[in-house]
Amino acid sequence: MKRFGLKTLLATASVALLLTGMPMMASAQEPQSGGTIVELVSSEPPNLVGAFGGATTLHEISDKIFDKLLEDKNGEYEPRLAESWEVSPDGRTFTFHLNPSVKWHDGTPFTSADVAFTMTEIWKKFGGILAYGRITGVETPDEHTVVFKAENQIAPQLLLGTLGNLQGLVLPKHIYENTDYKANPANLAPIGSGPYKFKEWVKGQYIVLERNPDYYRKPYPYLDGIVVRFERSANTRAAALEAGDAHLGVRSPVALRDLDRIEKLDNLAYTAAGSEGAVWLQQMEVNLQHEITANPLVRKAIAHAINKEKLVSLVYAGHAKPATGPIPSTIPSYTKDVDTYGFDPAKAEALLDEAGYPRKSDGKRFPLKLVVGNWFETQSQSADLIAQDLADVGIDVTIDKPAIPAFIGQVYKNYDFDITLTNSVNYSEPGVGSLIWLWTKGIIPGVPWRNASHYSNPEMDAVIEASLVEQDPSKRMEQLHTFQKLAARDLPIIYLVEMDMINVYNKKLHNVGNHPRWYYTNWEDLWLEH
Amino acid sequence: MYALLKLILNRLAHAIPTLVGIIVIAFILLSLAPGDVVDILAADGSIQDAATAAAMRAKFGLDQPLPMQALNYVIGVFQFNFGYSPIHSLPVSDLIVSRLPATFLLMASSILLSVIVGVVIGLYAALNVRTWKDFLGSVFAILFFAAPSFWVGLMLMVVFSIKLELLPVSGMVSMRINATWFSQALDIARHLILPTCALGLFYAAIYARVMRAAVLQVSKLDFVETARAKGVPEGAIAFRHILRNAVLPVITLIGLQTGNVMAGAVVIEQVFSWPGIGTLLFDAVLDRNLPVVMGVLILSSVIVMVTNLIVDILYFILDPRIQLEKHS
Amino acid sequence: MKGSAFLARYLSSPSAILGTSVIVMIVTAALFASVLYPQDPLRSVAAPEIWPFVDAAHPLGTDAIGRDIAAMMMHGARTTIAIGLIASIVASIIGILIGAVSGFYGGMVDNLLMRFTELFQIIPNLVFLIALVSVFGPRIEVVVLGIGSVSWTGMARLVRAEFMTLKNREFVLAARAAGMTDLRIIASEILPNALPPAVVLASLIVGAAVLYEASLSFLGLSDPAIASWGRLVGEGRSLIRTSWYIAAVPGLGIMLAVLSVNLVGDALTDALNPRLGREASGS
């Protein structure tokens, strides 16, 4: 039996201590308890329960209130609600030993029944998560043991990487049982087991989280509370941070061009650390149902025609880097050994000629509709630049920027696009967010962030399906490399840039960005100097 | 008193069919929109099969024939039920009510500012007619009448918040903890200054023009000439005789403009992240959360109707001619 | 009224001359946009964030992604003018139709139509416009028709009032006696006489329409394919702490456009109605 958990943690911890521990101890300050910080987010979440799926802001807040069985730190697993776990050698039985001292925020003890309930009633029913779909049975031999069973094998990294990510937040059975889950009032005033308790939600303005004094991981949390304030515009976020009215903004809270100025201020700092294990890719999904773009030569021509460096420097002010494939470069399973498409308009033109689309008398070859997922200002700006790049090689691009819900219907339900500009979030475990975009089974009309290209390649499907069940880590690594090579060769999605997700914070705040998926973690060790 | 009551009852009776009309317009828009509440829910992937969708439609009464739905909607609104916001899992009325105080505060302060500034500038310009002071007043009125309020807001922000660092950039409250009641009120007042100016100056420009014209007209009327002939000092004439009469058209305009002030607040709230119904409306439009959009549409119309009524009452009290009619 | 006398009166007003010349300027800018800046104005052509009056090649500077602000302003002038004009025409047609029928027939028809007009006066214009856009999508035709549909009430009331006074004049009574149809009386007898004040009001609606469109596109709710001035202000917002000119310049453009239209409208009113005009200006 493979044992993950405490041992792994101790081993990594001691290595870390050897490498950096001693000098760190001397120079770094002792963490201080107390203090309340103000965090700025760009939009108000609809509710606070991430387990049903939904927007990023929702998950960011939900992760402070709820807790997971374990925490995935770029492939290393740390115990949380589960103190330890075993995976059977056949990859069909996953046993978790729960921490007996955990209580929900209302004082009710946390037990295996909560985990079993969340798996069968919430995780398996909402969100269509790959790993959970493969679980066929849940057993609770005692109050503090829960066993997940699968008829078919599951790659351990897939299940643990999902449980240890934002999809793994456990809900209280006693609050949700026999209710309409999505209409439960607790979705707006959640009862969790994490380091921070929900205190207050002033609609349109802010949410207050306060320290959970009974949190089972002492001495955490350090902070007395977090005020999450909704601030829609980048310039007002910058102003609030500068004035000291707010301490923190995550995921690039200010205009990227504004960062140079922010860096020079006495009280603020910024870092791109904290998103290595949750990387935002900017990508162009290509509709393979469209006659012209079904031609791989055309897709390759588009890839060569787009100046990614220009996107990086103009749109992202240098806070991004060109992407090569579906798995970003900071993820352990990344390989750079794939077909690449440098900026080369001449080559693009040659490919288009070869594909049988010469320039017509008006200089144009064919029209394409570019549908933009317009949730960041950078998306809209990128679209304008890309349209120019494509116009230069004779592709006549019409830009369409629908509102977000309309966009989702247009692209992921009606497939009414030729090319579309979107983002994907890619985690350390590719099974969580990266594979489904290119899998035939990912073609699910009406469900967003899936295979809208209609790319269907048996070779690719075989690799993806093998990686879902593979028990041998090195073989799985090879499969994931093959996945990236096929993706870059066939180009159903053109990968543009890996975006830096910048955290801007007050210098009095410590431990910002100290986890590869920092903005999606519970910030138990975040502390304020005072 | 009886006459006032009659006026109020009369207006209310007049208002009901108007209100029904507005609700019907809102309902027609709702039903013309591609996609209903259930489609909004489906957009985030939480409804994935047809049976759930049908059950949801039945729950919201969306399976009934259109005229029946319309009737339900109208009756619902009269019971202050604007439907359900699927995204927030809350009734639309709760959402709007929670945002109204902030919008009311902004509207009230803007109207107050615009009346004071407008009346003072208009009066001052008229009393100094055809001098450079009058000209300056006109320039003020012409400029602010043409400038888009959101842009004025941004420019005020650049000067007073960014360059001079005198006032907060946005929001309604600073997130300082453990503030006293008084310091919180002061804090809100500081946040209120720039949005109020941005919204109010446009209307101040209108009122200044109207006030100036009204003062000029009134000052030529007989009773003013009589007072002047009797040797009443000019200052006393200006305030006792002219102001009271000249302010009437301004009051009428306030009533007429309430709807526009409300709409202006929607934009200004966006500029300053003011947490009122404008921000709610804006988010709802981006989410295509139409029940909320229509709720705001109806409720803002109701607010306009109520203000119109208040203005009528004010007018009734202030206008000497109506008083005379009452006595005769 | 003699045309030449009217023109003389109009031109005697300094605000008319100022307003007219600004309008001529904006129209010229719109006409020569493609000559001076033949390329797509949304094209990134230089380094980002060049301030105005620094680089002669980009007199008004560049924005966050290096687009030439002068080019965007000149091309945007077309959009602004077109939207203002078309929306005003739409509003005028609706307003004249309703006002004419209402004023001509009076009675029950008048009552009903005026209640309908009142409805639209009560609904906050911009809120209704936003609702329209959210239902029918942010397309240019929705925006233009929407602005038209919230701007007609003043026109309806004005035309109604004109019709009510004009319909009892001798020439109308004569036409009636001659057996003309209602439609002909409305269209060929009364309407021409009611038209001058309507045209003045239409010019003021242009100004209001420009402001509506600016607000909508500032909020990002207008047609995303169109670079109007309001959108440029909205896009300049995120860099307002450093490069505030990106938002300031297009806003100035909107202000000038609306200002000039208002000045011309006022001067036209004065010229059309000398007595009223003199009174309002205090002489």
Side-chain angles (χ1 to χ4, degrees):
Chain A
M1 271 210 185
K2 278 173 266 177
R3 276 192 82 99
F4 293 84
L6 260 181
K7 265 186 196 163
T8 330
L9 172 73
L10 283 177
T12 12
S14 47
V15 172
L17 219 72
L18 277 175
L19 288 174
T20 57
M22 292 310 159
M24 281 273 288
M25 291 271 193
S27 65
Q29 294 148 285
E30 200 60 29
Q32 289 175 294
S33 277
T36 295
I37 63 157
V38 177
E39 184 204 356
L40 301 175
V41 297
S42 59
S43 62
E44 182 166 12
N47 62 65
L48 291 178
V49 179
F52 301 125
T56 308
T57 315
L58 190 167
H59 285 296
E60 282 168 8
I61 305 172
S62 197
D63 267 89
K64 279 65 187 168
I65 302 168
F66 292 96
D67 210 345
K68 332 176 171 82
L69 291 176
L70 55 110
E71 181 71 51
D72 175 4
K73 213 167 175 178
N74 239 6
E76 299 290 338
Y77 308 109
E78 291 179 1
R80 285 291 188 271
L81 291 173
E83 290 180 317
S84 63
W85 51 88
E86 296 108 35
V87 180
S88 69
D90 64 355
R92 289 189 166 93
T93 308
F94 296 75
T95 309
F96 295 85
H97 303 287
L98 307 181
N99 184 328
S101 65
V102 180
K103 287 193 167 48
W104 294 102
H105 292 159
D106 62 359
T108 312
F110 160 79
T111 69
S112 55
D114 292 311
V115 182
F117 171 82
T118 309
M119 174 58 89
T120 50
E121 287 298 307
I122 310 290
W123 290 343
K124 283 179 72 67
K125 286 190 178 171
F126 299 95
I129 296 160
L130 252 177
Y132 300 150
R134 307 179 83 80
I135 300 287
T136 49
V138 183
E139 288 167 14
T140 50
D142 65 56
E143 284 216 323
H144 304 297
T145 309
V146 66
V147 183
F148 296 148
K149 300 222 160 178
E151 274 169 26
N152 302 310
Q153 286 187 320
I154 304 181
Q157 292 94 333
L158 175 63
L159 183 63
L160 298 179
T162 306
L163 288 170
N165 204 328
L166 52 99
Q167 295 80 6
L169 301 177
V170 181
L171 298 191
K173 181 183 180 187
H174 67 286
I175 301 285
Y176 283 91
E177 194 178 25
N178 298 324
T179 64
D180 178 355
Y181 306 140
K182 294 204 76 173
N184 193 308
N187 294 345
L188 301 177
I191 306 281
S193 57
Y196 300 98
K197 290 162 81 162
F198 171 81
K199 186 181 176 198
E200 188 191 10
W201 185 343
V202 177
K203 288 273 179 218
Q205 296 194 53
Y206 56 86
I207 290 170
V208 184
L209 306 180
E210 63 179 356
R211 183 171 204 274
N212 172 12
D214 302 321
Y215 187 49
Y216 63 100
R217 284 165 58 85
K218 305 285 179 199
Y220 303 137
Y222 291 129
L223 293 174
D224 285 340
I226 301 174
V227 178
V228 184
R229 183 169 145 191
F230 320 128
E231 203 59 85
R232 273 154 203 83
S233 95
N235 84 76
T236 55
R237 288 196 291 267
L241 286 162
E242 268 183 76
D245 287 344
H247 303 81
L248 173 67
V250 300
R251 289 195 298 115
S252 306
V254 305
L256 294 169
R257 298 215 157 269
D258 216 10
L259 287 172
D260 289 345
R261 190 181 57 82
I262 298 246
E263 198 176 23
K264 292 187 195 108
L265 299 171
D266 293 334
N267 63 336
L268 295 183
Y270 78 83
T271 175
S275 57
E276 312 85 77
V279 187
W280 287 68
L281 277 183
Q282 188 185 36
Q283 59 187 17
M284 175 184 280
E285 296 175 62
V286 185
N287 194 343
L288 304 194
Q289 292 178 297
H290 185 288
E291 187 205 327
I292 298 174
T293 45
N295 186 335
L297 292 173
V298 171
R299 299 201 294 275
K300 286 178 184 173
I302 293 175
H304 278 300
I306 297 174
N307 189 343
K308 296 180 195 172
E309 296 290 348
K310 195 170 171 184
L311 288 179
V312 168
S313 66
L314 278 181
V315 174
Y316 294 97
H319 299 285
K321 59 170 173 273
T324 56
I327 295 181
S329 57
T330 49
I331 302 294
S333 48
Y334 170 76
T335 175
K336 63 177 193 313
D337 184 20
V338 299
D339 294 348
T340 53
Y341 303 88
F343 176 55
D344 190 347
K347 189 163 183 192
E349 299 234 22
L351 284 167
L352 289 169
D353 289 337
E354 187 192 336
Y357 299 104
R359 281 185 188 261
K360 288 183 280 217
S361 54
D362 60 356
K364 292 172 183 170
R365 297 172 190 273
F366 51 83
L368 283 184
K369 179 154 92 172
L370 169 59
V371 184
V372 185
N374 203 12
W375 33 80
F376 299 131
E377 194 187 10
T378 47
Q379 288 286 95
S380 169
Q381 293 176 340
S382 303
D384 291 345
L385 291 184
I386 288 170
Q388 293 160 19
D389 284 341
L390 295 182
D392 288 344
V393 298
I395 301 174
D396 182 23
V397 174
T398 327
I399 297 178
D400 187 7
K401 299 174 185 170
I404 295 164
F407 170 85
I408 289 172
Q410 186 171 346
V411 171
Y412 295 102
K413 189 172 169 190
N414 305 328
Y415 303 112
D416 176 18
F417 68 99
D418 298 332
I419 45 180
T420 177
L421 202 56
T422 57
N423 296 111
S424 62
V425 190
N426 298 275
Y427 302 102
S428 344
E429 165 47 43
V432 176
S434 308
L435 303 180
I436 194 105
W437 299 85
L438 300 168
W439 191 17
T440 305
K441 286 189 182 161
I443 305 175
I444 314 167
V447 182
W449 330 126
R450 297 289 189 273
N451 185 350
S453 302
H454 280 69
Y455 170 65
S456 177
N457 176 357
E459 194 184 354
M460 180 61 112
D461 290 345
V463 170
I464 292 176
E465 281 155 29
S467 78
L468 299 180
V469 299
E470 183 56 59
Q471 298 293 310
D472 178 345
S474 62
K475 276 193 190 157
R476 190 164 192 261
M477 188 65 87
E478 270 172 41
Q479 290 156 357
L480 292 173
H481 286 178
T482 313
F483 164 75
Q484 293 167 69
K485 284 174 194 163
L486 292 177
R489 185 194 73 190
D490 293 348
L491 272 187
I493 298 177
I494 297 168
Y495 301 95
L496 300 172
V497 303
E498 297 174 10
M499 301 155 65
D500 285 353
M501 283 291 157
I502 309 277
N503 302 308
V504 178
Y505 60 99
N506 194 297
K507 283 180 183 160
K508 287 192 173 143
L509 203 56
H510 296 264
N511 286 341
V512 173
N514 65 352
H515 185 290
R517 206 180 55 249
W518 186 70
Y519 53 86
Y520 280 142
T521 58
N522 63 18
W523 295 356
E524 56 184 13
D525 62 350
L526 190 62
W527 64 277
L528 185 68
E529 199 179 315
H530 52 264
Chain B
M1 240 2 252
Y2 171 71
L4 185 60
L5 197 70
K6 203 174 135 189
L7 172 91
I8 295 172
L9 284 177
N10 197 345
R11 286 303 147 96
L12 284 180
H14 194 80
I16 288 170
T18 312
L19 184 57
V20 172
I22 291 167
I23 301 170
V24 169
I25 290 179
F27 178 80
I28 292 173
L29 287 178
L30 254 182
S31 49
L32 281 177
D36 56 24
V37 171
V38 178
D39 288 318
I40 303 176
L41 282 170
D44 70 1
S46 56
I47 298 179
Q48 302 202 353
D49 61 298
T52 321
M56 292 290 276
R57 286 208 164 81
K59 184 179 158 194
F60 294 122
L62 294 168
D63 52 344
Q64 296 178 6
L66 220 51
M68 199 59 208
Q69 286 187 41
L71 190 66
N72 286 341
Y73 190 73
V74 174
I75 293 171
V77 171
F78 273 96
Q79 296 166 339
F80 209 66
N81 169 12
F82 294 89
Y84 184 75
S85 165
I87 293 176
H88 302 83
S89 327
L90 275 178
V92 173
S93 52
D94 286 16
L95 277 172
I96 297 179
V97 166
S98 69
R99 302 295 188 87
L100 268 182
T103 299
F104 276 153
L105 182 62
L106 176 58
M107 284 174 68
S109 66
S110 304
I111 292 175
L112 199 69
L113 175 93
S114 62
V115 170
I116 293 174
V117 172
V119 164
V120 167
I121 291 183
L123 186 65
Y124 187 72
L127 293 179
N128 297 289
V129 72
R130 303 213 154 224
T131 66
W132 63 271
K133 292 170 184 168
D134 182 22
F135 179 73
L136 271 190
S138 298
V139 169
F140 162 84
I142 289 172
L143 283 183
F144 280 96
F145 187 56
S149 60
F150 58 85
W151 180 76
V152 172
L154 283 178
M155 295 301 116
L156 288 173
M157 190 191 275
V158 169
V159 176
F160 292 99
S161 306
I162 296 172
K163 299 292 171 201
L164 300 177
E165 297 184 7
L166 285 176
L167 292 168
V169 173
S170 75
M172 189 161 89
V173 285
S174 309
M175 288 285 120
R176 309 228 192 266
I177 314 300
N178 301 329
T180 62
W181 178 87
F182 180 74
S183 71
Q184 273 183 342
L186 206 68
D187 184 44
I188 292 180
R190 270 167 48 81
H191 282 82
L192 191 57
I193 294 175
L194 288 186
T196 300
C197 291
L199 183 55
L201 286 176
F202 176 79
Y203 297 98
I206 300 179
Y207 299 152
R209 285 177 74 151
V210 172
M211 186 68 194
R212 177 178 175 277
V215 168
L216 290 176
Q217 208 167 23
V218 171
S219 59
K220 277 184 290 186
L221 294 181
D222 291 346
F223 69 97
V224 177
E225 297 295 338
T226 317
R228 210 167 262 146
K230 281 185 190 162
V232 179
E234 276 300 313
I237 293 178
F239 286 96
R240 207 172 304 154
H241 296 91
I242 300 178
L243 187 60
R244 184 166 172 181
N245 287 284
V247 93
L248 286 173
V250 173
I251 290 176
T252 313
L253 262 184
I254 296 172
L256 286 175
Q257 297 283 7
T258 324
N260 293 335
V261 175
M262 182 128 207
V266 167
V267 184
I268 290 300
E269 283 181 10
Q270 276 305 302
V271 177
F272 292 97
S273 303
W274 191 260
I277 57 168
T279 311
L280 178 71
L281 174 68
F282 181 72
D283 288 350
V285 170
L286 290 190
D287 292 338
R288 289 184 70 77
N289 192 349
L290 291 174
V292 172
V293 176
M294 296 312 153
V296 172
L297 180 72
I298 296 170
L299 211 68
S300 55
S301 308
V302 171
I303 291 165
V304 173
M305 289 160 78
V306 171
T307 333
N308 284 349
L309 181 66
I310 294 173
V311 165
D312 280 345
I313 296 171
L314 252 178
Y315 206 97
F316 181 86
I317 296 168
L318 278 178
D319 191 339
R321 276 164 295 183
I322 299 181
Q323 298 277 344
L324 273 178
E325 272 167 35
K326 196 170 63 181
H327 287 298
S328 58
Chain C
M1 193 187 317
K2 285 265 167 51
S4 57
F6 171 77
L7 199 66
R9 259 204 309 276
Y10 176 76
L11 288 177
S12 70
S13 143
S15 61
I17 293 171
L18 183 66
T20 314
S21 35
V22 174
I23 289 181
V24 169
M25 245 172 59
I26 295 174
V27 171
T28 315
L31 287 178
F32 287 93
S34 297
V35 180
L36 280 172
Y37 297 99
Q39 274 192 328
D40 179 358
L42 294 181
R43 207 179 169 87
S44 164
V45 289
E49 294 183 77
I50 300 175
W51 277 69
F53 315 121
V54 172
D55 182 345
H58 308 287
L60 295 180
T62 58
D63 76 351
I65 58 169
R67 297 181 294 201
D68 188 304
I69 293 179
M72 289 195 288
M73 286 296 292
M74 286 182 74
H75 282 269
R78 296 178 163 190
T79 325
T80 304
I81 292 172
I83 291 176
L85 277 180
I86 300 172
S88 167
I89 291 170
V90 170
S92 302
I93 292 173
I94 304 175
I96 289 173
L97 276 179
I98 290 185
V101 170
S102 197
F104 186 79
Y105 290 104
M108 202 49 206
V109 177
D110 178 39
N111 207 340
L112 264 176
L113 284 175
M114 281 302 107
R115 291 304 294 268
F116 184 67
T117 311
E118 199 179 305
L119 212 72
F120 274 85
Q121 279 181 317
I122 283 173
I123 301 177
N125 291 347
L126 194 67
V127 177
F128 187 66
L129 193 55
I130 290 173
L132 283 181
V133 170
S134 69
V135 168
F136 298 109
R139 293 193 312 267
I140 186 69
E141 54 285 13
V142 175
V143 171
V144 170
L145 290 176
I147 296 174
S149 72
V150 298
S151 312
W152 57 268
T153 53
M155 182 64 84
R157 288 189 174 272
L158 176 97
V159 172
R160 171 178 176 268
E162 291 287 323
F163 265 66
M164 284 173 85
T165 50
L166 288 170
K167 74 175 175 190
N168 293 322
R169 292 276 189 80
E170 289 99 24
F171 68 92
V172 178
L173 297 176
R176 227 189 262 278
M180 271 194 192
T181 60
D182 287 354
L183 189 68
R184 263 194 78 189
I185 297 175
I186 291 176
S188 64
E189 297 297 320
I190 308 183
L191 196 57
N193 287 289
L195 222 44
V199 169
V200 176
L201 186 60
S203 74
L204 291 173
I205 295 177
V206 172
V210 168
L211 281 181
Y212 280 129
E213 197 281 331
S215 300
L216 260 195
S217 48
F218 168 74
L219 291 175
L221 301 177
S222 186
D223 197 320
I226 283 162
S228 74
W229 291 347
R231 176 179 155 191
L232 300 184
V233 178
E235 288 185 345
R237 253 177 101 186
S238 60
L239 283 180
I240 199 149
R241 304 188 65 74
T242 45
S243 302
W244 52 267
Y245 67 92
I246 300 176
V249 171
L252 267 178
I254 300 170
M255 188 166 108
L256 276 179
V258 177
L259 183 103
S260 60
V261 169
N262 288 346
L263 286 177
V264 167
D266 286 353
L268 280 176
T269 313
D270 289 357
L272 270 180
N273 195 340
R275 192 191 56 83
L276 207 147
R278 255 201 310 283
E279 218 166 67
S281 65
S283 50

